[in-house]
Amino acid sequence: NPTGAAVDGDGCVYVADQSNHRIRKIAPDGTVTTLAGSGSATFADGQGAAAHFHNPEDVAVDMLDMYGFVYVADQSNHRIRKIAPDGTVTTLAGSGNAGSIEGQGIAAHFHNPSKLAVDAEGNVLVSDKNNGRIRSIAALLPPPTRGKLPPTLPSAYRDEMRALLDDSSFADITFVVEGEKVTAHRALLAARSEYFRTMLSASFREAQPSSEVPIGG
């Protein structure tokens, strides 16, 4: 009983296989695999078959998202789920209790969410069926993470990279902190932090080349 489908940028089709309580993936050559779901009508986050759905009715793919997350309207669990490319399932929003309460993450309540869509800003729009409402889940960026250059890099390479970073003529983004301008390199920021990678690849103002980004007040 497949009830919803979505297509990603590579031509793969994702299917809400409702009565089998699984999310299936169809490759462009027609090969069908199970992305996530054990087949048991219950609830659990986890990876692949360790995750449980209960009557998943619809799926959506964020076409602007470089990570390829799939969103699921897990109808009878009253939750919106999120599946990473490796099949890891987490709960994006919904407590599991049928209701109509606004809030962040599991503080929010849905009642049989049935359809999904993702808008141009990455917000997830939900048809909250039994509440008779259209709900919006904000696109929240993950907190910044710091990366480090691998310790095994040759010292000459480190020196060359340091010289490149110190040369402001190659910088392509500027942060303004309390009136002081700090230049940086978009590619390096994206490589070292998922936060910046998401920000700089999305349709935010900060993603525009040679932009100035104010920080703080």
Side-chain angles (χ1 to χ4, degrees):
N1 188 23
T3 52
V7 182
D8 69 12
D10 295 324
C12 295
V13 179
Y14 299 89
V15 180
D17 193 1
Q18 186 178 58
S19 296
N20 280 323
H21 313 292
R22 292 180 169 99
I23 304 303
R24 316 295 289 277
K25 180 178 180 179
I26 307 175
D29 66 358
T31 300
V32 180
T33 56
T34 297
L35 179 63
S38 65
S40 298
T42 181
F43 167 78
D45 286 333
Q47 185 173 10
H52 301 320
F53 298 92
H54 191 179
N55 293 328
E57 180 153 328
D58 197 21
V59 292
V61 177
D62 185 352
M63 297 300 289
L64 298 177
D65 179 11
M66 64 185 295
Y67 302 106
F69 289 117
V70 177
Y71 299 95
V72 181
D74 194 5
Q75 182 173 242
S76 295
N77 276 325
H78 312 294
R79 292 176 167 99
I80 305 303
R81 317 286 291 281
K82 181 178 180 179
I83 310 177
D86 66 354
T88 299
V89 180
T90 56
T91 297
L92 179 65
S95 66
N97 297 317
S100 180
I101 297 177
E102 310 289 7
Q104 184 174 358
I106 61 173
H109 292 195
F110 298 91
H111 194 178
N112 295 131
S114 59
K115 297 296 176 184
L116 294 177
V118 181
D119 69 15
E121 301 297 326
N123 302 303
V124 180
L125 306 179
V126 182
S127 173
D128 196 3
K129 184 177 179 180
N130 284 12
N131 279 322
R133 291 181 168 94
I134 303 299
R135 316 280 292 279
S136 177
I137 304 174
L140 298 177
L141 294 178
T145 57
R146 294 182 178 179
K148 296 181 179 179
L149 291 175
T152 56
L153 287 175
S155 59
Y157 181 83
R158 292 198 300 269
D159 293 341
E160 291 168 358
M161 286 297 297
R162 187 173 295 111
L164 174 64
L165 296 178
D166 289 340
D167 189 342
S168 61
S169 63
F170 291 104
D172 54 3
I173 189 169
T174 302
F175 295 95
V176 181
V177 184
E178 296 182 349
E180 181 181 352
K181 294 185 178 181
V182 179
T183 58
H185 302 258
R186 290 158 49 88
L188 185 61
L189 291 172
R192 298 182 63 182
S193 167
E194 181 179 342
Y195 174 84
F196 284 112
R197 187 183 305 117
T198 303
M199 182 181 75
L200 296 174
S201 63
S203 56
F204 298 112
R205 182 188 65 181
E206 291 84 350
Q208 303 306 311
S210 302
S211 61
E212 289 191 357
V213 181
I215 302 296

